[in-house]
Amino acid sequence: MSAQTRNDRILSWWRPIGALVVGWACTSANAGFEDRTYDEQRVLAGDQMRLILQNFGVCGDVQDCRKKQLVFSSPTPGGFGIDVYSTTDDRIKKEIISACLEIFMSNPKVRRLDIGIFAGTFKTDDWSMLFKKRQMILTVRFEREE
């Protein structure tokens, strides 16, 4: 058996293993960037924001709010963030902040909650929107010391 044939056999055996190792490493590294410890509170906050928007007539029901892409939530280190779109009414902003404060205060392990309120809409179906700056009209951060 020639050296080239032996090397080809070794490489053919190691390639799948190498692909698995690289895939696992990428998945593990990616998972390490998102702290999903507070997903339950994050989902609760998102549902609460949709309910507030529904009560003020911004959307008809939960499905309508999702279709209009009005509320987004994401994990952050030690907590989570909530972004609410198409909201300029001061009464709605007050309700959003009050609901988030209540969620934050009732969950002492959550160390951080970020709220972003935007005047415009968020459209994921228009790629040009990904590069445009959205008009944030209010940002609030609740934070506890460790």
Side-chain angles (χ1 to χ4, degrees):
M1 178 184 304
S2 72
Q4 182 64 32
T5 306
R6 189 170 4 119
N7 287 344
D8 287 344
R9 286 183 61 205
I10 291 171
L11 282 176
S12 68
W13 189 78
W14 277 101
R15 277 190 186 124
I17 293 173
L20 286 173
V21 169
V22 168
W24 173 81
C26 290
T27 303
S28 298
N30 192 23
F33 289 116
E34 289 190 352
D35 181 0
R36 297 215 173 250
T37 306
Y38 308 103
D39 263 2
E40 184 179 327
Q41 293 84 358
R42 181 180 62 82
V43 170
L44 172 69
D47 291 344
Q48 193 74 20
M49 299 307 107
R50 287 182 196 89
L51 185 61
I52 290 168
L53 294 175
Q54 183 181 343
N55 290 341
F56 279 95
V58 177
C59 52
D61 58 13
V62 172
Q63 294 304 325
D64 188 36
C65 282
R66 287 193 171 123
K67 182 180 169 188
K68 291 181 177 178
Q69 301 178 336
L70 300 175
V71 178
F72 293 89
S73 62
S74 58
T76 62
F80 59 93
I82 294 285
D83 289 337
V84 183
Y85 288 84
S86 298
T87 306
T88 56
D89 187 326
D90 287 340
R91 297 172 302 153
I92 299 174
K93 291 186 275 187
K94 182 179 176 182
E95 286 290 322
I96 289 169
I97 294 167
S98 294
C100 286
L101 178 60
E102 186 175 320
I103 291 168
F104 183 73
M105 295 305 291
S106 65
N107 294 283
K109 291 183 179 181
V110 175
R111 293 188 331 264
R112 177 176 155 187
L113 194 160
D114 295 326
I115 308 165
I117 299 178
F118 297 83
T121 60
F122 181 90
K123 293 186 178 185
T124 57
D125 56 345
D126 182 2
W127 284 97
S128 67
M129 289 299 293
L130 294 175
F131 304 104
K132 291 182 181 174
K133 187 172 181 172
R134 292 172 179 82
Q135 183 185 0
M136 181 180 278
I137 55 175
L138 181 65
T139 181
V140 177
R141 174 177 284 172
F142 298 119
E143 197 166 24
R144 287 188 178 90
E145 297 208 11
E146 292 185 47

